[in-house]
Coordinates of all heavy atoms in Angstrom, one line a residue:
M295 N 79.1 34.8 43.5 CA 79.1 35.5 42.3 C 79.7 34.7 41.2 O 80.9 34.2 41.3 CB 79.8 36.8 42.5 CG 79.8 37.7 41.2 SD 78.2 38.2 40.7 CE 77.5 38.8 42.2
T296 N 79.1 34.3 40.2 CA 79.7 33.5 39.1 C 80.3 34.5 38.1 O 80.1 35.7 38.0 CB 78.6 32.7 38.4 OG1 77.7 33.6 37.7 CG2 77.8 31.9 39.4
T297 N 81.1 33.8 37.2 CA 81.8 34.6 36.1 C 80.7 35.2 35.2 O 80.8 36.3 34.8 CB 82.7 33.7 35.4 OG1 83.7 33.2 36.2 CG2 83.3 34.4 34.2
N298 N 79.6 34.3 34.9 CA 78.6 34.8 34.1 C 77.9 36.1 34.7 O 77.5 36.9 33.9 CB 77.6 33.7 33.9 CG 76.6 34.0 32.7 OD1 77.0 34.3 31.7 ND2 75.3 33.8 33.0
D299 N 77.7 36.1 36.0 CA 77.1 37.3 36.5 C 78.0 38.5 36.3 O 77.5 39.6 36.0 CB 76.9 37.2 38.1 CG 75.8 36.2 38.5 OD1 74.9 36.0 37.7 OD2 75.9 35.5 39.6
R300 N 79.3 38.3 36.4 CA 80.2 39.5 36.2 C 80.2 39.9 34.7 O 80.2 41.1 34.4 CB 81.6 39.2 36.6 CG 81.7 39.2 38.1 CD 83.2 39.1 38.6 NE 83.8 37.8 38.2 CZ 83.8 36.7 39.0 NH1 83.1 36.7 40.1 NH2 84.3 35.6 38.7
V301 N 80.2 38.9 33.9 CA 80.2 39.2 32.4 C 78.9 39.9 32.0 O 78.9 40.9 31.2 CB 80.4 37.8 31.6 CG1 80.1 38.1 30.1 CG2 81.8 37.3 31.8
Q302 N 77.8 39.5 32.6 CA 76.5 40.2 32.2 C 76.2 41.3 33.1 O 75.2 42.0 33.0 CB 75.4 39.1 32.4 CG 75.5 38.0 31.3 CD 74.3 37.1 31.4 OE1 73.3 37.3 32.0 NE2 74.4 35.9 30.7
H303 N 77.1 41.7 33.9 CA 77.1 43.0 34.8 C 75.9 42.9 35.8 O 75.5 44.0 36.3 CB 76.9 44.2 33.9 CG 78.0 44.2 32.9 ND1 79.3 44.4 33.1 CD2 77.9 44.3 31.5 CE1 80.0 44.4 32.0 NE2 79.2 44.3 31.0
T304 N 75.5 41.7 36.1 CA 74.5 41.6 37.2 C 75.0 42.0 38.5 O 74.3 42.4 39.5 CB 73.7 40.3 37.2 OG1 74.8 39.3 37.4 CG2 72.9 40.0 35.9
E305 N 76.3 41.9 38.6 CA 77.0 42.1 40.0 C 76.8 43.6 40.2 O 76.7 44.0 41.4 CB 78.5 41.8 39.8 CG 79.3 42.1 41.0 CD 80.8 41.7 40.9 OE1 81.2 41.4 39.7 OE2 81.5 41.7 41.8
D306 N 77.0 44.5 39.2 CA 76.9 45.9 39.4 C 75.8 46.5 38.7 O 75.9 47.6 38.0 CB 78.3 46.6 38.9 CG 79.5 46.1 39.7 OD1 79.3 46.1 41.0 OD2 80.5 45.7 39.1
A307 N 74.6 45.9 38.7 CA 73.5 46.3 37.9 C 73.1 47.8 38.1 O 72.8 48.5 37.1 CB 72.3 45.4 38.1
A308 N 73.0 48.2 39.3 CA 72.6 49.6 39.6 C 73.6 50.6 39.0 O 73.3 51.6 38.5 CB 72.6 49.8 41.1
F309 N 74.9 50.2 39.1 CA 75.9 51.1 38.5 C 75.7 51.3 37.0 O 75.7 52.4 36.5 CB 77.4 50.6 38.9 CG 78.4 51.2 38.1 CD1 78.9 52.4 38.5 CD2 79.0 50.6 37.0 CE1 79.9 53.1 37.8 CE2 80.0 51.3 36.3 CZ 80.5 52.5 36.8
F310 N 75.5 50.1 36.3 CA 75.4 50.2 34.9 C 74.0 50.9 34.5 O 74.0 51.6 33.5 CB 75.5 48.8 34.3 CG 76.9 48.3 34.3 CD1 77.4 47.5 35.2 CD2 77.8 48.8 33.3 CE1 78.7 47.0 35.2 CE2 79.1 48.4 33.2 CZ 79.6 47.5 34.2
D311 N 73.0 50.8 35.3 CA 71.8 51.5 35.1 C 72.0 53.0 35.1 O 71.5 53.7 34.3 CB 70.7 51.1 36.1 CG 70.2 49.7 35.9 OD1 70.3 49.1 34.7 OD2 69.5 49.2 36.8
E312 N 72.8 53.5 36.0 CA 73.2 54.9 36.1 C 74.0 55.4 35.0 O 73.8 56.4 34.4 CB 73.9 55.2 37.4 CG 73.0 55.1 38.7 CD 71.9 56.1 38.7 OE1 72.1 57.2 38.3 OE2 70.7 55.7 39.1
V313 N 75.0 54.5 34.6 CA 75.8 54.8 33.4 C 75.0 54.9 32.2 O 75.1 55.9 31.4 CB 77.0 53.9 33.2 CG1 77.7 54.1 31.9 CG2 77.9 53.9 34.4
K314 N 74.1 54.1 32.0 CA 73.2 54.0 30.9 C 72.3 55.3 30.8 O 72.2 56.0 29.8 CB 72.3 52.9 30.8 CG 71.3 52.8 29.7 CD 70.4 51.6 29.7 CE 69.5 51.6 28.6 NZ 68.5 50.4 28.6
A315 N 71.8 55.7 31.9 CA 71.0 56.9 32.1 C 71.8 58.2 31.7 O 71.4 59.1 31.0 CB 70.4 57.1 33.5
V316 N 73.1 58.2 32.2 CA 74.0 59.4 31.8 C 74.2 59.4 30.3 O 74.2 60.4 29.8 CB 75.2 59.3 32.7 CG1 76.3 60.4 32.2 CG2 75.0 59.6 34.1
S317 N 74.5 58.3 29.8 CA 74.9 58.3 28.4 C 73.7 58.6 27.5 O 73.8 59.2 26.4 CB 75.4 56.9 27.9 OG 74.4 55.9 28.0
E318 N 72.5 58.3 28.0 CA 71.2 58.8 27.2 C 71.0 60.3 27.4 O 70.5 60.9 26.4 CB 70.0 58.0 27.7 CG 70.1 56.6 27.4 CD 69.0 55.7 28.0 OE1 68.2 56.2 28.9 OE2 68.9 54.6 27.6
R319 N 71.5 60.9 28.4 CA 71.4 62.4 28.6 C 72.4 63.1 27.7 O 72.3 64.3 27.3 CB 71.6 62.8 30.0 CG 70.3 62.5 30.8 CD 70.4 63.3 32.2 NE 71.6 63.3 32.9 CZ 71.9 62.5 33.9 NH1 71.1 61.5 34.2 NH2 73.1 62.6 34.5
Y320 N 73.5 62.4 27.3 CA 74.6 63.0 26.6 C 74.9 62.2 25.3 O 76.0 61.6 25.1 CB 75.8 63.2 27.3 CG 75.7 64.0 28.6 CD1 75.4 63.5 29.8 CD2 75.8 65.4 28.5 CE1 75.2 64.3 30.9 CE2 75.5 66.2 29.6 CZ 75.2 65.7 30.7 OH 75.1 66.4 31.9
P321 N 74.0 62.1 24.4 CA 74.1 61.2 23.2 C 75.3 61.5 22.4 O 75.8 60.5 21.8 CB 72.8 61.4 22.5 CG 72.2 62.7 22.9 CD 72.7 62.8 24.3
E322 N 75.7 62.7 22.3 CA 77.0 63.1 21.5 C 78.2 62.6 22.1 O 79.2 62.3 21.4 CB 77.1 64.6 21.3 CG 77.5 65.3 22.6 CD 76.4 65.5 23.7 OE1 75.2 65.1 23.4 OE2 76.7 66.0 24.8
A323 N 78.2 62.2 23.4 CA 79.4 61.7 24.1 C 79.4 60.2 24.2 O 80.5 59.6 24.2 CB 79.5 62.3 25.4
K324 N 78.2 59.6 24.1 CA 78.2 58.1 24.4 C 79.0 57.3 23.4 O 79.4 56.2 23.7 CB 76.8 57.6 24.6 CG 76.0 57.5 23.3 CD 74.6 57.0 23.7 CE 73.7 56.8 22.5 NZ 72.4 56.2 23.0
L325 N 79.2 57.8 22.1 CA 79.9 57.0 21.2 C 81.5 57.2 21.3 O 82.2 56.5 20.6 CB 79.5 57.4 19.8 CG 78.0 57.1 19.4 CD1 77.8 57.6 18.0 CD2 77.8 55.6 19.5
R326 N 81.9 58.1 22.1 CA 83.3 58.4 22.4 C 83.9 57.6 23.5 O 85.1 57.6 23.7 CB 83.6 59.9 22.6 CG 83.3 60.7 21.3 CD 83.8 62.1 21.5 NE 83.3 62.8 22.7 CZ 82.3 63.6 22.7 NH1 81.6 64.0 21.6 NH2 82.0 64.3 23.8
Y327 N 83.0 57.0 24.4 CA 83.5 56.4 25.6 C 82.9 55.0 25.8 O 81.8 54.7 25.3 CB 83.1 57.3 26.8 CG 83.7 58.7 26.8 CD1 82.9 59.7 26.2 CD2 85.0 59.0 27.1 CE1 83.5 61.0 26.1 CE2 85.5 60.2 27.1 CZ 84.8 61.2 26.5 OH 85.3 62.5 26.4
A328 N 83.7 54.3 26.6 CA 83.3 52.9 26.9 C 83.7 52.6 28.4 O 84.6 53.3 28.9 CB 83.8 51.9 26.0
I329 N 83.1 51.7 29.0 CA 83.5 51.2 30.3 C 84.5 50.1 30.2 O 84.2 49.1 29.4 CB 82.4 50.8 31.2 CG1 81.5 52.0 31.5 CG2 82.8 50.2 32.5 CD1 80.2 51.8 32.3
A330 N 85.6 50.2 30.8 CA 86.7 49.1 30.7 C 86.7 48.2 31.9 O 86.6 48.7 33.0 CB 88.1 49.7 30.5
N331 N 86.7 47.0 31.7 CA 86.9 46.0 32.9 C 88.4 45.8 33.0 O 89.1 45.4 32.1 CB 86.2 44.7 32.5 CG 86.3 43.7 33.6 OD1 87.3 43.5 34.2 ND2 85.2 43.0 33.8
L332 N 88.9 46.0 34.2 CA 90.3 45.9 34.5 C 90.7 44.6 35.0 O 91.8 44.5 35.7 CB 90.8 47.0 35.3 CG 90.6 48.5 34.8 CD1 91.0 49.5 35.8 CD2 91.3 48.7 33.5
A333 N 89.9 43.5 34.8 CA 90.2 42.2 35.4 C 91.5 41.7 35.0 O 92.3 41.2 35.9 CB 89.1 41.3 35.0
L334 N 92.0 41.8 33.7 CA 93.2 41.2 33.3 C 94.4 42.0 33.9 O 95.4 41.4 34.4 CB 93.3 41.3 31.8 CG 92.4 40.3 31.1 CD1 92.6 40.5 29.5 CD2 92.7 38.8 31.4
E335 N 94.2 43.3 34.0 CA 95.3 44.2 34.6 C 95.5 43.9 36.1 O 96.5 43.7 36.6 CB 95.0 45.6 34.4 CG 95.1 46.1 33.0 CD 93.9 45.8 32.1 OE1 93.0 45.1 32.5 OE2 93.8 46.5 31.0
N336 N 94.3 43.7 36.8 CA 94.3 43.3 38.2 C 95.0 41.9 38.4 O 95.8 41.7 39.3 CB 92.9 43.2 38.8 CG 92.4 44.7 38.9 OD1 93.2 45.7 39.1 ND2 91.1 44.8 38.8
E337 N 94.7 41.0 37.5 CA 95.3 39.7 37.5 C 96.8 39.7 37.4 O 97.5 38.9 38.0 CB 94.7 38.7 36.5 CG 95.1 37.3 36.6 CD 94.3 36.5 35.6 OE1 93.1 36.6 35.4 OE2 95.0 35.5 35.0
M338 N 97.3 40.6 36.5 CA 98.7 40.7 36.3 C 99.4 41.6 37.4 O 100.6 41.7 37.4 CB 98.9 41.5 35.0 CG 98.6 40.6 33.7 SD 98.8 41.6 32.2 CE 100.5 42.1 32.3
G339 N 98.7 42.2 38.3 CA 99.2 43.0 39.4 C 99.6 44.3 38.9 O 100.6 44.9 39.5
I340 N 99.0 44.9 37.9 CA 99.3 46.3 37.4 C 99.0 47.3 38.5 O 97.9 47.2 39.0 CB 98.6 46.6 36.1 CG1 99.0 45.6 35.0 CG2 98.9 48.1 35.7 CD1 100.4 45.5 34.6
D341 N 99.9 48.1 38.9 CA 99.8 49.1 39.9 C 99.7 50.4 39.1 O 100.7 51.1 38.8 CB 100.9 49.1 40.9 CG 100.9 50.2 41.9 OD1 99.9 51.0 41.8 OD2 101.8 50.3 42.7
Y342 N 98.4 50.9 38.9 CA 98.2 52.1 38.1 C 98.8 53.4 38.9 O 98.9 54.4 38.3 CB 96.8 52.3 37.7 CG 96.4 51.5 36.6 CD1 95.5 50.5 36.6 CD2 97.0 51.8 35.3 CE1 95.2 49.7 35.5 CE2 96.7 51.0 34.2 CZ 95.8 50.0 34.3 OH 95.4 49.3 33.2
D343 N 99.1 53.3 40.2 CA 99.7 54.4 40.8 C 101.2 54.6 40.3 O 101.7 55.7 40.3 CB 99.6 54.3 42.4 CG 98.3 54.6 42.8 OD1 97.5 55.3 42.2 OD2 97.9 54.0 44.0
R344 N 101.7 53.5 40.0 CA 103.2 53.4 39.5 C 103.3 53.2 38.1 O 104.3 53.7 37.5 CB 103.8 52.3 40.3 CG 105.4 52.3 40.2 CD 105.9 51.1 41.1 NE 105.5 49.8 40.7 CZ 105.9 49.1 39.7 NH1 106.8 49.6 38.9 NH2 105.4 47.9 39.4
Q345 N 102.4 52.6 37.4 CA 102.5 52.2 36.0 C 101.4 52.8 35.2 O 100.4 53.2 35.7 CB 102.5 50.7 35.9 CG 103.6 50.0 36.6 CD 103.4 48.5 36.7 OE1 102.5 48.0 37.4 NE2 104.2 47.7 35.8
V346 N 101.7 52.8 33.9 CA 100.7 53.2 32.9 C 100.8 52.3 31.6 O 101.9 51.9 31.3 CB 100.8 54.7 32.5 CG1 102.1 54.9 31.8 CG2 99.7 55.2 31.7
G347 N 99.7 52.1 31.1 CA 99.7 51.3 29.8 C 100.0 52.1 28.6 O 99.8 53.3 28.6
V348 N 100.8 51.5 27.7 CA 101.1 52.2 26.5 C 100.7 51.3 25.3 O 101.1 50.2 25.2 CB 102.7 52.5 26.4 CG1 103.1 53.1 25.1 CG2 103.2 53.4 27.5
S349 N 99.9 51.8 24.5 CA 99.3 51.0 23.4 C 99.9 51.4 22.0 O 100.2 52.5 21.8 CB 97.8 51.2 23.3 OG 97.2 50.7 24.5
R350 N 99.9 50.3 21.2 CA 100.3 50.6 19.7 C 99.6 49.6 18.9 O 99.1 48.5 19.4 CB 101.8 50.4 19.6 CG 102.4 49.1 19.8 CD 103.9 49.0 19.8 NE 104.3 47.6 19.9 CZ 104.4 46.9 21.1 NH1 104.0 47.5 22.2 NH2 104.8 45.7 21.1
I351 N 99.5 49.9 17.6 CA 99.0 49.0 16.6 C 100.1 48.2 16.0 O 101.1 48.8 15.5 CB 98.1 49.7 15.6 CG1 97.0 50.4 16.3 CG2 97.7 48.7 14.5 CD1 96.2 51.3 15.4
E352 N 100.0 46.9 16.0 CA 101.0 46.0 15.5 C 100.3 44.8 14.8 O 99.7 44.1 15.4 CB 101.9 45.5 16.6 CG 103.1 44.7 16.2 CD 104.0 44.3 17.4 OE1 104.6 45.2 18.0 OE2 104.0 43.2 17.8
D353 N 100.6 44.7 13.5 CA 100.0 43.6 12.7 C 98.5 43.4 12.9 O 98.0 42.3 13.1 CB 100.7 42.3 13.1 CG 102.2 42.3 12.7 OD1 102.5 42.9 11.7 OD2 103.0 41.7 13.4
G354 N 97.8 44.6 12.8 CA 96.3 44.5 13.0 C 95.8 44.2 14.4 O 94.6 43.9 14.6
R355 N 96.7 44.3 15.4 CA 96.3 44.1 16.8 C 96.7 45.3 17.7 O 97.6 46.0 17.3 CB 97.1 42.9 17.4 CG 96.8 41.5 16.7 CD 97.6 40.4 17.2 NE 99.0 40.7 16.9 CZ 100.0 40.4 17.7 NH1 99.8 39.9 18.9 NH2 101.3 40.7 17.3
I356 N 96.0 45.5 18.7 CA 96.3 46.5 19.7 C 97.1 45.8 20.7 O 96.7 44.9 21.4 CB 95.1 47.2 20.2 CG1 94.2 47.9 19.2 CG2 95.4 48.2 21.4 CD1 92.9 48.4 19.7
V357 N 98.3 46.3 20.9 CA 99.3 45.7 21.9 C 99.5 46.8 23.0 O 99.8 47.9 22.7 CB 100.6 45.4 21.2 CG1 101.6 44.8 22.2 CG2 100.4 44.3 20.1
R358 N 99.3 46.3 24.2 CA 99.5 47.2 25.4 C 100.6 46.7 26.2 O 100.6 45.5 26.6 CB 98.2 47.4 26.1 CG 98.4 48.4 27.2 CD 97.1 48.9 27.9 NE 95.9 48.1 27.5 CZ 94.9 47.9 28.3 NH1 94.9 48.4 29.5 NH2 93.9 47.2 27.9
S359 N 101.6 47.5 26.6 CA 102.6 47.1 27.5 C 102.5 48.2 28.6 O 101.9 49.2 28.5 CB 103.9 47.2 26.9 OG 104.3 48.4 26.3
F360 N 103.1 47.9 29.7 CA 103.1 48.7 30.9 C 104.5 49.2 31.3 O 105.4 48.5 31.3 CB 102.4 48.0 32.1 CG 100.9 47.7 31.8 CD1 100.7 46.5 31.2 CD2 100.0 48.6 32.1 CE1 99.3 46.2 30.8 CE2 98.6 48.3 31.8 CZ 98.3 47.1 31.2
V361 N 104.5 50.5 31.5 CA 105.9 51.2 31.9 C 105.6 52.0 33.2 O 104.5 52.3 33.5 CB 106.4 52.0 30.8 CG1 106.7 51.2 29.5 CG2 105.5 53.2 30.4
D362 N 106.7 52.2 33.8 CA 106.7 53.2 35.0 C 106.2 54.5 34.6 O 106.6 55.0 33.4 CB 108.0 53.2 35.7 CG 108.2 51.9 36.5 OD1 107.3 51.2 36.8 OD2 109.5 51.7 36.8
R363 N 105.5 55.2 35.4 CA 104.9 56.6 35.0 C 106.1 57.6 34.8 O 105.9 58.5 34.1 CB 104.0 57.1 36.1 CG 102.7 56.4 36.1 CD 101.7 57.0 37.0 NE 100.4 56.4 36.8 CZ 99.5 56.7 36.0 NH1 99.8 57.8 35.2 NH2 98.3 56.1 35.8
D364 N 107.2 57.3 35.4 CA 108.4 58.3 35.2 C 109.3 57.9 34.0 O 110.3 58.4 33.9 CB 109.2 58.4 36.5 CG 109.8 57.1 37.0 OD1 109.6 56.1 36.4 OD2 110.4 57.2 38.1
D365 N 108.9 56.9 33.3 CA 109.7 56.5 32.1 C 109.8 57.6 31.0 O 108.7 58.1 30.7 CB 109.0 55.2 31.5 CG 109.9 54.5 30.4 OD1 110.4 55.2 29.5 OD2 110.1 53.3 30.5
P366 N 110.9 57.9 30.5 CA 111.0 58.9 29.6 C 110.2 58.7 28.2 O 109.8 59.6 27.5 CB 112.5 59.0 29.2 CG 113.2 58.2 30.2 CD 112.2 57.3 30.9
M367 N 109.9 57.4 27.9 CA 109.0 57.0 26.8 C 107.7 57.8 26.8 O 107.1 58.2 25.9 CB 108.8 55.5 26.8 CG 107.9 55.2 25.6 SD 107.0 53.6 25.8 CE 108.2 52.5 26.1
L368 N 107.2 58.0 28.1 CA 105.8 58.7 28.2 C 105.9 60.2 27.7 O 104.8 60.7 27.3 CB 105.4 58.7 29.6 CG 104.9 57.3 30.1 CD1 104.5 57.4 31.6 CD2 103.9 56.7 29.3
A369 N 107.1 60.8 27.6 CA 107.2 62.1 27.0 C 106.7 62.2 25.7 O 106.2 63.2 25.1 CB 108.6 62.6 27.1
R370 N 106.8 61.1 24.9 CA 106.3 61.0 23.5 C 104.8 60.7 23.4 O 104.2 60.9 22.4 CB 107.1 59.9 22.7 CG 108.5 60.2 22.5 CD 109.2 59.3 21.6 NE 108.7 58.0 21.5 CZ 109.2 56.9 22.1 NH1 110.3 57.0 22.8 NH2 108.6 55.7 22.0
M371 N 104.3 60.1 24.5 CA 102.9 59.7 24.5 C 102.1 60.9 24.7 O 102.2 61.6 25.8 CB 102.6 58.6 25.5 CG 103.5 57.4 25.5 SD 103.3 56.5 24.0 CE 105.0 56.4 23.4
Q372 N 101.1 61.2 23.9 CA 100.3 62.5 24.0 C 98.8 62.3 24.1 O 98.2 63.1 24.4 CB 100.7 63.4 22.9 CG 102.2 63.8 23.0 CD 102.5 64.7 21.8 OE1 101.7 65.1 21.0 NE2 103.7 65.1 21.7
L373 N 98.4 61.1 23.7 CA 96.9 60.9 23.6 C 96.5 59.9 24.7 O 96.9 58.7 24.6 CB 96.5 60.4 22.2 CG 96.7 61.3 21.1 CD1 96.3 60.6 19.8 CD2 96.0 62.6 21.2
C374 N 95.7 60.3 25.6 CA 95.3 59.4 26.7 C 94.0 58.6 26.1 O 93.1 59.2 25.6 CB 94.8 60.2 27.9 SG 94.3 59.1 29.3
L375 N 94.1 57.3 26.2 CA 93.1 56.4 25.7 C 92.1 55.9 26.8 O 91.0 55.6 26.5 CB 93.7 55.2 25.1 CG 94.7 55.4 24.0 CD1 95.3 54.1 23.5 CD2 93.9 56.0 22.8
L376 N 92.6 55.9 28.0 CA 91.8 55.3 29.1 C 92.0 56.0 30.4 O 93.1 56.2 30.8 CB 92.2 53.8 29.3 CG 91.4 53.1 30.4 CD1 90.0 52.9 30.1 CD2 92.1 51.6 30.5
R377 N 90.9 56.6 31.0 CA 91.1 57.3 32.3 C 90.2 56.6 33.3 O 89.2 56.1 33.0 CB 90.5 58.8 32.1 CG 91.4 59.6 31.2 CD 91.0 61.1 31.3 NE 91.7 61.8 30.3 CZ 92.8 62.4 30.6 NH1 93.4 62.3 31.8 NH2 93.5 63.1 29.7
D378 N 90.7 56.7 34.6 CA 89.8 56.2 35.6 C 88.8 57.3 36.0 O 88.7 58.4 35.4 CB 90.7 55.8 36.9 CG 91.3 56.9 37.6 OD1 91.0 58.1 37.3 OD2 92.2 56.6 38.4
I379 N 87.9 57.0 36.9 CA 86.8 57.9 37.2 C 87.3 59.2 37.9 O 86.6 60.2 38.0 CB 85.7 57.3 38.1 CG1 86.3 56.8 39.5 CG2 85.1 56.1 37.4 CD1 85.3 56.4 40.4
H380 N 88.6 59.3 38.3 CA 89.1 60.5 38.8 C 89.9 61.3 37.7 O 90.5 62.3 38.2 CB 90.1 60.1 40.0 CG 89.3 59.2 41.0 ND1 88.4 59.7 41.9 CD2 89.5 57.9 41.3 CE1 88.0 58.8 42.6 NE2 88.6 57.6 42.3
G381 N 89.9 60.9 36.6 CA 90.6 61.6 35.5 C 92.1 61.2 35.3 O 92.7 61.8 34.4
K382 N 92.6 60.3 36.1 CA 94.0 59.8 36.0 C 94.1 58.9 34.7 O 93.4 58.0 34.5 CB 94.4 59.0 37.2 CG 95.8 58.5 37.2 CD 96.0 57.8 38.5 CE 97.4 57.4 38.7 NZ 97.5 56.7 40.0
C383 N 95.1 59.2 33.8 CA 95.3 58.5 32.6 C 95.9 57.1 33.0 O 96.9 57.0 33.7 CB 96.2 59.2 31.6 SG 96.2 58.4 30.0
L384 N 95.2 56.0 32.4 CA 95.7 54.7 32.6 C 96.3 54.0 31.4 O 97.1 53.1 31.5 CB 94.5 53.8 33.1 CG 93.8 54.2 34.3 CD1 92.6 53.3 34.5 CD2 94.6 54.4 35.5
D385 N 96.1 54.7 30.2 CA 96.6 54.0 28.9 C 96.9 55.2 28.0 O 95.9 56.0 27.8 CB 95.7 53.0 28.4 CG 96.2 52.2 27.3 OD1 97.4 52.3 27.0 OD2 95.4 51.5 26.6
W386 N 98.1 55.2 27.4 CA 98.5 56.2 26.4 C 98.8 55.6 25.0 O 99.0 54.5 24.9 CB 99.7 56.9 26.8 CG 99.6 57.7 28.1 CD1 99.8 57.3 29.3 CD2 99.4 59.1 28.2 NE1 99.6 58.3 30.3 CE2 99.4 59.4 29.5 CE3 99.1 60.1 27.2 CZ2 99.2 60.7 30.0 CZ3 98.9 61.4 27.7 CH2 98.9 61.7 29.0
M387 N 98.7 56.4 24.0 CA 99.2 56.1 22.8 C 100.0 57.3 22.2 O 99.8 58.4 22.6 CB 98.1 55.6 21.7 CG 97.3 56.8 21.2 SD 96.1 56.3 20.0 CE 97.2 56.3 18.6
E388 N 100.9 57.0 21.3 CA 101.7 58.0 20.7 C 100.9 58.9 19.8 O 100.1 58.3 19.0 CB 102.9 57.4 19.9 CG 103.9 58.5 19.5 CD 105.2 57.8 19.0 OE1 105.5 56.6 19.4 OE2 106.0 58.5 18.3
A389 N 101.0 60.2 19.9 CA 100.1 61.0 19.1 C 100.6 60.9 17.6 O 101.9 60.9 17.4 CB 100.3 62.5 19.6
P390 N 99.7 61.0 16.6 CA 100.2 61.0 15.3 C 101.0 62.2 14.9 O 100.7 63.3 15.5 CB 98.9 61.0 14.5 CG 97.8 61.4 15.4 CD 98.3 61.1 16.8
E391 N 101.9 62.1 14.0 CA 102.8 63.3 13.6 C 102.0 64.1 12.6 O 101.2 63.8 12.0 CB 104.1 62.7 13.1 CG 104.9 62.0 14.2 CD 106.2 61.6 13.7 OE1 106.7 62.0 12.6 OE2 106.8 60.7 14.4

């Protein structure tokens, strides 16, 4: 499997065909969601059972750091940005006041 195959999704073509079919059945939802590739998180060794991403906007960039799920900082985070297929939140941002 080459990097190009992964980038063009030929590795999981059947999966993406099914996702496309579902998004066509629910056109009102397809603009609210995207599929995320977790390759960088996997390369960094992020353990989503123990950690969660926390995103913020800084100087026109989205910056994500990872904290333990029991970190008190998460009490302020109220908007889930990224969920896995089981509904578990993987990335949060602070809710606007």
